[in-house]
Amino acid sequence: MPISIADTPAWQALAQHAESLRPRHLRELFADDATRFARFSLETDGLLFDYSKQRVDAQTIALLANLAREADVRGWSERMFAGEPVNTSERRPALHTALRSSAATLSVAGEDVMPAIRSSRAQMRGFCDAVRSGRLRGYSGEPIRAIVNIGIGGSDLGPRMATAALAAFAHPSLRIHYVSNLDAADLAPVLEDLDPRSTLFIVTSKTFTTLETMTNAHSARDWLLTAAGDDADAAMAQQFAAVTANAGEALRFGIAAGMLFEFSEWVGGRFSLWSPVGLPLALAIGMDAFEQMLAGAERMDRHFREAPTERNLPLLMALIGIWNIDFLGAWNLSISPYSQSLRWLPDYLQQLDMESNGKSLKPDGTPVGVHTAPVLWGGAGSNTQHAYFQLLHQGGWLIPSDFIACAQSDYPLSGHHDKLLANCLAQAEALAFGSSNHDPLRACPGNQPSSTLLLPRLTPFTLGQLVAAYEHKICAQAAIWGINPFDQWGVELGKSLAARLLPALEAGAPLDADASTAGLADWLRRRGRPA
Ligand code: F6P
């Protein structure tokens, strides 16, 4: 029984193959094969995925497909879809796929989970209709005009990203704000612009104990109840909702039972967009559109389960990612949506990828033995061309990119979209092929790999497809590396150290810490209080 995926024959065959492919330039790979685009691209349900600018050949793909077989990615993902406890450290399933399923039944440990999922969707629909139609009112009888989602990480980034992505589909007179940071500079300016009589707060937190979220929720509650005065009870009952897996804590906070949107422990925070965590998004675009997004994701689920490896978009993304990281030594991944609407996608994928796969031990505590998640970052093009793309072109690092673009724009201003698309294609071309120049300072070496994902248009359905594709990519990589993508023990240490430091900062309590931390805390304490 091999102890690491690196010990398998499939991995070793790839390592050997990489020796011969590593020196080859994308220019040569394209020159050798006029059919390269046709061979290394695929279209599924309207999405085009072009990976011909990756540093792969037919043998690479065949060997990577062997790796997927050897690691039994399909077996692992079928166990996930079936609700088996693939989240081994927390001993529970990871059933984000059930949240977007249209199946009549799904039995998990003898219990059908679909009735609860359907009734949760119905509850969301009723609430969305009440808010969007103006039926749900604030304490003074004003219709709701602003919604503030208070959450962080997976309780913020998914709906934040999707609300921006689907702004063209949003209700014209509802403003959705997202507040996540502990820094008062996040919440305070939002509150300054809001009218307490027409503002609805949604506290989104799986645990309902997260420091940032609870601190912001308490400040928002104080702001609302102070403004409401004698109507404070009505304000609390009508203008505070909660989305959580911890109903008890939410009720203790003062959330009315009818304003409570529960989801199960088996929904991972960063995979929770499809659950009631998507409530602020559903309020923005309406429940019909939200369900179209679920349908798009479900369509991608089916593609992932059914398509052969060589035609399987998420699986190819996963395998190419592993090829780049572990065989070409590219530890970064740049996400480049040429879409202002997708400006939050890199942040969303940063959590999805780095919190899921940023691990070096397998569940049994043994080392993975190879590199795992990439350092993922990015931003919306074409802005990024005028910021960090210089480094991609001439910085000397090997940094693969994912380019994402839409054939049609949601906005009718003429003279913009074709220029945007031209820039997207030009960057991928320049990165791949570079340019020679008699002046070496102007020459670009090229050979930077990229994939391009094209959507016909950014709609709820295509967004669902896109996000589900990345989810499956990341889970397939986890299956190959042999890690659990559904826990995040590493983030706990900082949380407990912050709790220990707080009394020193707040009240100058003695601090048992290293000299640097103690010195910094002391400096801040002395300068952080008015003299
Ligand atoms: O600290 C990490 C984390 O647990 C994320 O995984 C999660 O998305 C985020 O905090 C927020 O957690 P919660 O939804 O419980 O407030």
Side-chain angles (χ1 to χ4, degrees), residues 337-382:
Y338 270 66
S339 160
Q340 182 64 11
S341 304
L342 287 174
R343 63 190 174 280
W344 284 100
L345 185 69
D347 300 65
Y348 171 77
L349 293 179
Q350 191 173 63
Q351 186 202 14
L352 190 64
D353 205 337
M354 294 171 77
E355 202 173 67
S356 298
N357 287 348
K359 292 157 195 173
S360 51
L361 294 182
K362 298 196 284 182
D364 63 7
T366 59
V368 178
V370 296
H371 289 288
T372 55
V375 180
L376 188 152
W377 45 272
S382 61

mmCIF file of all heavy atoms in Angstrom, residues 337-382:
data_model
loop_
_atom_site.group_PDB
_atom_site.id
_atom_site.type_symbol
_atom_site.label_atom_id
_atom_site.label_comp_id
_atom_site.label_asym_id
_atom_site.label_seq_id
_atom_site.Cartn_x
_atom_site.Cartn_y
_atom_site.Cartn_z
ATOM 1 N N PRO A 337 -10.409 36.959 -14.296
ATOM 2 C CA PRO A 337 -11.678 37.157 -15.011
ATOM 3 C C PRO A 337 -11.646 38.486 -15.758
ATOM 4 O O PRO A 337 -11.346 39.522 -15.163
ATOM 5 C CB PRO A 337 -12.721 37.184 -13.879
ATOM 6 C CG PRO A 337 -11.974 37.554 -12.641
ATOM 7 C CD PRO A 337 -10.538 37.172 -12.841
ATOM 8 N N TYR A 338 -11.902 38.443 -17.064
ATOM 9 C CA TYR A 338 -12.055 39.707 -17.802
ATOM 10 C C TYR A 338 -13.518 40.076 -17.725
ATOM 11 O O TYR A 338 -14.281 39.971 -18.692
ATOM 12 C CB TYR A 338 -11.517 39.557 -19.237
ATOM 13 C CG TYR A 338 -10.046 39.924 -19.258
ATOM 14 C CD1 TYR A 338 -9.115 39.139 -18.587
ATOM 15 C CD2 TYR A 338 -9.598 41.089 -19.881
ATOM 16 C CE1 TYR A 338 -7.782 39.506 -18.540
ATOM 17 C CE2 TYR A 338 -8.256 41.451 -19.839
ATOM 18 C CZ TYR A 338 -7.361 40.656 -19.163
ATOM 19 O OH TYR A 338 -6.040 41.025 -19.100
ATOM 20 N N SER A 339 -13.899 40.478 -16.531
ATOM 21 C CA SER A 339 -15.291 40.780 -16.238
ATOM 22 C C SER A 339 -15.288 41.525 -14.910
ATOM 23 O O SER A 339 -14.892 40.970 -13.886
ATOM 24 C CB SER A 339 -16.069 39.456 -16.095
ATOM 25 O OG SER A 339 -17.266 39.657 -15.382
ATOM 26 N N GLN A 340 -15.728 42.761 -14.958
ATOM 27 C CA GLN A 340 -15.803 43.525 -13.712
ATOM 28 C C GLN A 340 -16.803 42.861 -12.766
ATOM 29 O O GLN A 340 -16.632 42.880 -11.545
ATOM 30 C CB GLN A 340 -16.206 44.977 -14.033
ATOM 31 C CG GLN A 340 -16.291 45.917 -12.847
ATOM 32 C CD GLN A 340 -14.938 46.145 -12.154
ATOM 33 O OE1 GLN A 340 -13.893 45.753 -12.676
ATOM 34 N NE2 GLN A 340 -14.975 46.755 -10.988
ATOM 35 N N SER A 341 -17.829 42.246 -13.342
ATOM 36 C CA SER A 341 -18.839 41.583 -12.511
ATOM 37 C C SER A 341 -18.235 40.425 -11.722
ATOM 38 O O SER A 341 -18.722 40.081 -10.647
ATOM 39 C CB SER A 341 -19.976 41.062 -13.389
ATOM 40 O OG SER A 341 -20.510 42.118 -14.152
ATOM 41 N N LEU A 342 -17.184 39.809 -12.247
ATOM 42 C CA LEU A 342 -16.554 38.678 -11.548
ATOM 43 C C LEU A 342 -15.359 39.125 -10.711
ATOM 44 O O LEU A 342 -14.461 38.334 -10.420
ATOM 45 C CB LEU A 342 -16.121 37.606 -12.561
ATOM 46 C CG LEU A 342 -17.259 36.793 -13.181
ATOM 47 C CD1 LEU A 342 -16.731 35.873 -14.285
ATOM 48 C CD2 LEU A 342 -17.996 35.963 -12.129
ATOM 49 N N ARG A 343 -15.366 40.404 -10.309
ATOM 50 C CA ARG A 343 -14.176 40.929 -9.605
ATOM 51 C C ARG A 343 -13.919 40.233 -8.271
ATOM 52 O O ARG A 343 -12.789 40.200 -7.796
ATOM 53 C CB ARG A 343 -14.309 42.430 -9.392
ATOM 54 C CG ARG A 343 -15.475 42.854 -8.514
ATOM 55 C CD ARG A 343 -15.667 44.366 -8.561
ATOM 56 N NE ARG A 343 -16.856 44.816 -7.854
ATOM 57 C CZ ARG A 343 -18.088 44.769 -8.351
ATOM 58 N NH1 ARG A 343 -18.312 44.242 -9.548
ATOM 59 N NH2 ARG A 343 -19.109 45.212 -7.655
ATOM 60 N N TRP A 344 -14.983 39.655 -7.666
ATOM 61 C CA TRP A 344 -14.769 38.978 -6.385
ATOM 62 C C TRP A 344 -14.419 37.497 -6.561
ATOM 63 O O TRP A 344 -14.162 36.807 -5.571
ATOM 64 C CB TRP A 344 -16.017 39.097 -5.497
ATOM 65 C CG TRP A 344 -16.157 40.453 -4.881
ATOM 66 C CD1 TRP A 344 -16.975 41.474 -5.301
ATOM 67 C CD2 TRP A 344 -15.446 40.959 -3.738
ATOM 68 N NE1 TRP A 344 -16.808 42.564 -4.487
ATOM 69 C CE2 TRP A 344 -15.886 42.285 -3.524
ATOM 70 C CE3 TRP A 344 -14.487 40.414 -2.879
ATOM 71 C CZ2 TRP A 344 -15.391 43.072 -2.472
ATOM 72 C CZ3 TRP A 344 -14.004 41.197 -1.849
ATOM 73 C CH2 TRP A 344 -14.454 42.509 -1.663
ATOM 74 N N LEU A 345 -14.444 37.021 -7.801
ATOM 75 C CA LEU A 345 -14.185 35.587 -7.992
ATOM 76 C C LEU A 345 -12.815 35.155 -7.478
ATOM 77 O O LEU A 345 -12.708 34.124 -6.809
ATOM 78 C CB LEU A 345 -14.365 35.201 -9.467
ATOM 79 C CG LEU A 345 -14.241 33.702 -9.742
ATOM 80 C CD1 LEU A 345 -15.409 32.925 -9.154
ATOM 81 C CD2 LEU A 345 -14.143 33.420 -11.251
ATOM 82 N N PRO A 346 -11.739 35.928 -7.736
ATOM 83 C CA PRO A 346 -10.438 35.489 -7.199
ATOM 84 C C PRO A 346 -10.447 35.363 -5.673
ATOM 85 O O PRO A 346 -9.889 34.406 -5.126
ATOM 86 C CB PRO A 346 -9.467 36.579 -7.666
ATOM 87 C CG PRO A 346 -10.110 37.144 -8.892
ATOM 88 C CD PRO A 346 -11.583 37.100 -8.627
ATOM 89 N N ASP A 347 -11.086 36.289 -4.984
ATOM 90 C CA ASP A 347 -11.151 36.199 -3.516
ATOM 91 C C ASP A 347 -11.919 34.961 -3.083
ATOM 92 O O ASP A 347 -11.542 34.249 -2.143
ATOM 93 C CB ASP A 347 -11.860 37.429 -2.925
ATOM 94 C CG ASP A 347 -11.131 38.706 -3.277
ATOM 95 O OD1 ASP A 347 -11.072 39.033 -4.477
ATOM 96 O OD2 ASP A 347 -10.616 39.362 -2.362
ATOM 97 N N TYR A 348 -13.032 34.735 -3.767
ATOM 98 C CA TYR A 348 -13.857 33.567 -3.433
ATOM 99 C C TYR A 348 -13.057 32.273 -3.646
ATOM 100 O O TYR A 348 -13.027 31.388 -2.792
ATOM 101 C CB TYR A 348 -15.120 33.597 -4.308
ATOM 102 C CG TYR A 348 -15.933 32.347 -4.211
ATOM 103 C CD1 TYR A 348 -16.742 32.101 -3.108
ATOM 104 C CD2 TYR A 348 -15.891 31.388 -5.219
ATOM 105 C CE1 TYR A 348 -17.487 30.935 -3.015
ATOM 106 C CE2 TYR A 348 -16.629 30.224 -5.136
ATOM 107 C CZ TYR A 348 -17.418 30.010 -4.029
ATOM 108 O OH TYR A 348 -18.145 28.848 -3.937
ATOM 109 N N LEU A 349 -12.380 32.202 -4.805
ATOM 110 C CA LEU A 349 -11.623 30.977 -5.105
ATOM 111 C C LEU A 349 -10.401 30.836 -4.208
ATOM 112 O O LEU A 349 -9.932 29.732 -3.948
ATOM 113 C CB LEU A 349 -11.192 30.962 -6.578
ATOM 114 C CG LEU A 349 -12.338 30.847 -7.589
ATOM 115 C CD1 LEU A 349 -11.781 30.864 -9.005
ATOM 116 C CD2 LEU A 349 -13.165 29.585 -7.353
ATOM 117 N N GLN A 350 -9.910 31.979 -3.738
ATOM 118 C CA GLN A 350 -8.760 31.921 -2.812
ATOM 119 C C GLN A 350 -9.142 31.129 -1.569
ATOM 120 O O GLN A 350 -8.422 30.240 -1.122
ATOM 121 C CB GLN A 350 -8.370 33.347 -2.458
ATOM 122 C CG GLN A 350 -7.067 33.473 -1.736
ATOM 123 C CD GLN A 350 -6.703 34.934 -1.597
ATOM 124 O OE1 GLN A 350 -7.425 35.682 -0.946
ATOM 125 N NE2 GLN A 350 -5.612 35.329 -2.207
ATOM 126 N N GLN A 351 -10.300 31.447 -0.990
ATOM 127 C CA GLN A 351 -10.722 30.675 0.182
ATOM 128 C C GLN A 351 -11.026 29.226 -0.203
ATOM 129 O O GLN A 351 -10.594 28.278 0.459
ATOM 130 C CB GLN A 351 -11.960 31.278 0.860
ATOM 131 C CG GLN A 351 -12.283 30.523 2.158
ATOM 132 C CD GLN A 351 -13.715 30.650 2.658
ATOM 133 O OE1 GLN A 351 -14.591 31.100 1.940
ATOM 134 N NE2 GLN A 351 -13.955 30.231 3.881
ATOM 135 N N LEU A 352 -11.777 29.083 -1.310
ATOM 136 C CA LEU A 352 -12.203 27.735 -1.701
ATOM 137 C C LEU A 352 -10.994 26.816 -1.879
ATOM 138 O O LEU A 352 -10.975 25.684 -1.398
ATOM 139 C CB LEU A 352 -13.016 27.817 -3.001
ATOM 140 C CG LEU A 352 -13.743 26.553 -3.431
ATOM 141 C CD1 LEU A 352 -14.810 26.153 -2.428
ATOM 142 C CD2 LEU A 352 -14.389 26.744 -4.804
ATOM 143 N N ASP A 353 -9.973 27.318 -2.522
ATOM 144 C CA ASP A 353 -8.818 26.483 -2.840
ATOM 145 C C ASP A 353 -7.836 26.404 -1.667
ATOM 146 O O ASP A 353 -7.459 25.325 -1.211
ATOM 147 C CB ASP A 353 -8.111 27.059 -4.076
ATOM 148 C CG ASP A 353 -7.322 26.014 -4.837
ATOM 149 O OD1 ASP A 353 -6.958 24.994 -4.232
ATOM 150 O OD2 ASP A 353 -7.051 26.223 -6.033
ATOM 151 N N MET A 354 -7.466 27.570 -1.139
ATOM 152 C CA MET A 354 -6.377 27.563 -0.151
ATOM 153 C C MET A 354 -6.831 27.045 1.216
ATOM 154 O O MET A 354 -6.054 26.430 1.941
ATOM 155 C CB MET A 354 -5.759 28.960 -0.050
ATOM 156 C CG MET A 354 -5.053 29.341 -1.351
ATOM 157 S SD MET A 354 -4.501 31.056 -1.436
ATOM 158 C CE MET A 354 -3.052 31.019 -0.423
ATOM 159 N N GLU A 355 -8.090 27.310 1.594
ATOM 160 C CA GLU A 355 -8.562 26.777 2.876
ATOM 161 C C GLU A 355 -8.889 25.282 2.754
ATOM 162 O O GLU A 355 -8.757 24.532 3.713
ATOM 163 C CB GLU A 355 -9.784 27.557 3.390
ATOM 164 C CG GLU A 355 -9.978 27.424 4.890
ATOM 165 C CD GLU A 355 -11.082 28.313 5.462
ATOM 166 O OE1 GLU A 355 -12.261 28.072 5.144
ATOM 167 O OE2 GLU A 355 -10.784 29.229 6.236
ATOM 168 N N SER A 356 -9.284 24.863 1.551
ATOM 169 C CA SER A 356 -9.606 23.437 1.376
ATOM 170 C C SER A 356 -8.345 22.588 1.258
ATOM 171 O O SER A 356 -8.210 21.553 1.909
ATOM 172 C CB SER A 356 -10.454 23.238 0.113
ATOM 173 O OG SER A 356 -11.673 23.914 0.228
ATOM 174 N N ASN A 357 -7.431 23.027 0.409
ATOM 175 C CA ASN A 357 -6.306 22.159 0.059
ATOM 176 C C ASN A 357 -4.958 22.654 0.564
ATOM 177 O O ASN A 357 -3.920 22.078 0.232
ATOM 178 C CB ASN A 357 -6.255 21.975 -1.461
ATOM 179 C CG ASN A 357 -7.376 21.052 -1.955
ATOM 180 O OD1 ASN A 357 -8.020 20.390 -1.158
ATOM 181 N ND2 ASN A 357 -7.587 21.020 -3.250
ATOM 182 N N GLY A 358 -4.961 23.697 1.374
ATOM 183 C CA GLY A 358 -3.699 24.194 1.932
ATOM 184 C C GLY A 358 -3.260 23.326 3.087
ATOM 185 O O GLY A 358 -3.244 23.758 4.242
ATOM 186 N N LYS A 359 -2.923 22.105 2.807
ATOM 187 C CA LYS A 359 -2.594 21.111 3.847
ATOM 188 C C LYS A 359 -1.438 20.233 3.377
ATOM 189 O O LYS A 359 -1.306 19.996 2.176
ATOM 190 C CB LYS A 359 -3.828 20.229 4.109
ATOM 191 C CG LYS A 359 -4.948 21.024 4.757
ATOM 192 C CD LYS A 359 -6.310 20.438 4.550
ATOM 193 C CE LYS A 359 -7.334 21.507 4.907
ATOM 194 N NZ LYS A 359 -8.700 21.127 4.592
ATOM 195 N N SER A 360 -0.674 19.750 4.329
ATOM 196 C CA SER A 360 0.445 18.898 3.929
ATOM 197 C C SER A 360 0.402 17.530 4.611
ATOM 198 O O SER A 360 1.310 16.728 4.429
ATOM 199 C CB SER A 360 1.778 19.599 4.230
ATOM 200 O OG SER A 360 1.788 20.050 5.557
ATOM 201 N N LEU A 361 -0.674 17.299 5.375
ATOM 202 C CA LEU A 361 -0.837 15.971 5.989
ATOM 203 C C LEU A 361 -2.123 15.319 5.492
ATOM 204 O O LEU A 361 -3.123 16.002 5.252
ATOM 205 C CB LEU A 361 -0.913 16.075 7.519
ATOM 206 C CG LEU A 361 0.333 16.546 8.268
ATOM 207 C CD1 LEU A 361 0.075 16.538 9.770
ATOM 208 C CD2 LEU A 361 1.553 15.691 7.933
ATOM 209 N N LYS A 362 -2.079 14.005 5.409
ATOM 210 C CA LYS A 362 -3.288 13.260 5.078
ATOM 211 C C LYS A 362 -4.082 13.032 6.369
ATOM 212 O O LYS A 362 -3.555 13.235 7.471
ATOM 213 C CB LYS A 362 -2.894 11.938 4.429
ATOM 214 C CG LYS A 362 -2.136 12.185 3.129
ATOM 215 C CD LYS A 362 -2.052 10.964 2.273
ATOM 216 C CE LYS A 362 -1.027 9.988 2.799
ATOM 217 N NZ LYS A 362 -0.908 8.814 1.952
ATOM 218 N N PRO A 363 -5.329 12.624 6.260
ATOM 219 C CA PRO A 363 -6.150 12.461 7.472
ATOM 220 C C PRO A 363 -5.527 11.528 8.515
ATOM 221 O O PRO A 363 -5.767 11.680 9.711
ATOM 222 C CB PRO A 363 -7.459 11.875 6.941
ATOM 223 C CG PRO A 363 -7.537 12.368 5.538
ATOM 224 C CD PRO A 363 -6.122 12.420 5.032
ATOM 225 N N ASP A 364 -4.687 10.578 8.081
ATOM 226 C CA ASP A 364 -4.069 9.682 9.063
ATOM 227 C C ASP A 364 -2.803 10.294 9.678
ATOM 228 O O ASP A 364 -2.085 9.632 10.437
ATOM 229 C CB ASP A 364 -3.750 8.317 8.438
ATOM 230 C CG ASP A 364 -2.730 8.417 7.303
ATOM 231 O OD1 ASP A 364 -2.172 9.523 7.077
ATOM 232 O OD2 ASP A 364 -2.485 7.391 6.630
ATOM 233 N N GLY A 365 -2.514 11.559 9.331
ATOM 234 C CA GLY A 365 -1.372 12.247 9.933
ATOM 235 C C GLY A 365 -0.067 12.045 9.195
ATOM 236 O O GLY A 365 0.952 12.646 9.555
ATOM 237 N N THR A 366 -0.095 11.243 8.139
ATOM 238 C CA THR A 366 1.154 11.045 7.379
ATOM 239 C C THR A 366 1.294 12.162 6.335
ATOM 240 O O THR A 366 0.287 12.720 5.880
ATOM 241 C CB THR A 366 1.184 9.665 6.682
ATOM 242 O OG1 THR A 366 0.062 9.593 5.794
ATOM 243 C CG2 THR A 366 1.128 8.543 7.698
ATOM 244 N N PRO A 367 2.542 12.487 5.960
ATOM 245 C CA PRO A 367 2.731 13.588 4.996
ATOM 246 C C PRO A 367 2.170 13.249 3.616
ATOM 247 O O PRO A 367 2.236 12.095 3.179
ATOM 248 C CB PRO A 367 4.254 13.731 4.917
ATOM 249 C CG PRO A 367 4.825 12.909 6.005
ATOM 250 C CD PRO A 367 3.802 11.900 6.422
ATOM 251 N N VAL A 368 1.634 14.269 2.959
ATOM 252 C CA VAL A 368 1.175 14.092 1.575
ATOM 253 C C VAL A 368 2.383 13.778 0.695
ATOM 254 O O VAL A 368 2.309 12.973 -0.232
ATOM 255 C CB VAL A 368 0.472 15.381 1.072
ATOM 256 C CG1 VAL A 368 0.033 15.229 -0.372
ATOM 257 C CG2 VAL A 368 -0.714 15.723 1.955
ATOM 258 N N GLY A 369 3.492 14.434 0.991
ATOM 259 C CA GLY A 369 4.743 14.124 0.288
ATOM 260 C C GLY A 369 4.956 14.933 -0.975
ATOM 261 O O GLY A 369 6.012 14.837 -1.590
ATOM 262 N N VAL A 370 3.967 15.710 -1.395
ATOM 263 C CA VAL A 370 4.113 16.574 -2.569
ATOM 264 C C VAL A 370 3.444 17.907 -2.235
ATOM 265 O O VAL A 370 2.753 18.027 -1.229
ATOM 266 C CB VAL A 370 3.455 15.940 -3.827
ATOM 267 C CG1 VAL A 370 4.143 14.648 -4.209
ATOM 268 C CG2 VAL A 370 1.963 15.711 -3.615
ATOM 269 N N HIS A 371 3.652 18.909 -3.113
ATOM 270 C CA HIS A 371 2.986 20.194 -2.867
ATOM 271 C C HIS A 371 1.494 20.089 -3.153
ATOM 272 O O HIS A 371 1.074 19.344 -4.045
ATOM 273 C CB HIS A 371 3.607 21.288 -3.737
ATOM 274 C CG HIS A 371 4.980 21.663 -3.278
ATOM 275 N ND1 HIS A 371 5.187 22.372 -2.134
ATOM 276 C CD2 HIS A 371 6.198 21.410 -3.796
ATOM 277 C CE1 HIS A 371 6.489 22.551 -1.956
ATOM 278 N NE2 HIS A 371 7.134 21.965 -2.959
ATOM 279 N N THR A 372 0.710 20.856 -2.411
ATOM 280 C CA THR A 372 -0.753 20.802 -2.593
ATOM 281 C C THR A 372 -1.259 22.147 -3.156
ATOM 282 O O THR A 372 -0.770 22.571 -4.191
ATOM 283 C CB THR A 372 -1.440 20.412 -1.268
ATOM 284 O OG1 THR A 372 -1.015 21.334 -0.260
ATOM 285 C CG2 THR A 372 -1.077 18.993 -0.851
ATOM 286 N N ALA A 373 -2.191 22.805 -2.456
ATOM 287 C CA ALA A 373 -2.863 23.976 -3.053
ATOM 288 C C ALA A 373 -1.875 25.028 -3.531
ATOM 289 O O ALA A 373 -0.861 25.287 -2.886
ATOM 290 C CB ALA A 373 -3.803 24.602 -2.037
ATOM 291 N N PRO A 374 -2.211 25.676 -4.646
ATOM 292 C CA PRO A 374 -1.368 26.784 -5.105
ATOM 293 C C PRO A 374 -1.621 28.036 -4.273
ATOM 294 O O PRO A 374 -2.624 28.136 -3.573
ATOM 295 C CB PRO A 374 -1.855 27.012 -6.535
ATOM 296 C CG PRO A 374 -3.300 26.618 -6.499
ATOM 297 C CD PRO A 374 -3.396 25.490 -5.489
ATOM 298 N N VAL A 375 -0.704 28.974 -4.362
ATOM 299 C CA VAL A 375 -0.947 30.316 -3.817
ATOM 300 C C VAL A 375 -1.819 31.014 -4.852
ATOM 301 O O VAL A 375 -1.366 31.307 -5.959
ATOM 302 C CB VAL A 375 0.378 31.078 -3.621
ATOM 303 C CG1 VAL A 375 0.114 32.466 -3.060
ATOM 304 C CG2 VAL A 375 1.316 30.281 -2.723
ATOM 305 N N LEU A 376 -3.082 31.202 -4.508
ATOM 306 C CA LEU A 376 -4.067 31.655 -5.504
ATOM 307 C C LEU A 376 -4.403 33.127 -5.276
ATOM 308 O O LEU A 376 -4.690 33.532 -4.152
ATOM 309 C CB LEU A 376 -5.321 30.788 -5.389
ATOM 310 C CG LEU A 376 -6.387 30.985 -6.461
ATOM 311 C CD1 LEU A 376 -7.185 29.699 -6.662
ATOM 312 C CD2 LEU A 376 -7.326 32.131 -6.151
ATOM 313 N N TRP A 377 -4.355 33.900 -6.325
ATOM 314 C CA TRP A 377 -4.652 35.328 -6.244
ATOM 315 C C TRP A 377 -5.081 35.790 -7.630
ATOM 316 O O TRP A 377 -5.015 35.014 -8.585
ATOM 317 C CB TRP A 377 -3.415 36.111 -5.765
ATOM 318 C CG TRP A 377 -2.142 35.694 -6.450
ATOM 319 C CD1 TRP A 377 -1.300 34.697 -6.052
ATOM 320 C CD2 TRP A 377 -1.619 36.193 -7.683
ATOM 321 N NE1 TRP A 377 -0.272 34.558 -6.959
ATOM 322 C CE2 TRP A 377 -0.441 35.476 -7.971
ATOM 323 C CE3 TRP A 377 -2.020 37.185 -8.570
ATOM 324 C CZ2 TRP A 377 0.336 35.712 -9.114
ATOM 325 C CZ3 TRP A 377 -1.245 37.434 -9.702
ATOM 326 C CH2 TRP A 377 -0.076 36.694 -9.965
ATOM 327 N N GLY A 378 -5.513 37.038 -7.714
ATOM 328 C CA GLY A 378 -5.894 37.534 -9.033
ATOM 329 C C GLY A 378 -6.758 38.761 -8.925
ATOM 330 O O GLY A 378 -6.887 39.369 -7.855
ATOM 331 N N GLY A 379 -7.340 39.132 -10.034
ATOM 332 C CA GLY A 379 -8.182 40.323 -10.071
ATOM 333 C C GLY A 379 -8.801 40.456 -11.445
ATOM 334 O O GLY A 379 -8.478 39.700 -12.368
ATOM 335 N N ALA A 380 -9.715 41.422 -11.559
ATOM 336 C CA ALA A 380 -10.449 41.589 -12.811
ATOM 337 C C ALA A 380 -9.595 42.310 -13.844
ATOM 338 O O ALA A 380 -9.026 43.367 -13.576
ATOM 339 C CB ALA A 380 -11.734 42.375 -12.556
ATOM 340 N N GLY A 381 -9.510 41.679 -15.031
ATOM 341 C CA GLY A 381 -8.876 42.364 -16.151
ATOM 342 C C GLY A 381 -9.876 43.327 -16.751
ATOM 343 O O GLY A 381 -11.056 43.139 -16.595
ATOM 344 N N SER A 382 -9.435 44.374 -17.364
ATOM 345 C CA SER A 382 -8.067 44.606 -17.765
ATOM 346 C C SER A 382 -7.264 45.389 -16.717
ATOM 347 O O SER A 382 -6.066 45.640 -16.945
ATOM 348 C CB SER A 382 -8.038 45.370 -19.098
ATOM 349 O OG SER A 382 -8.673 46.631 -18.943
#
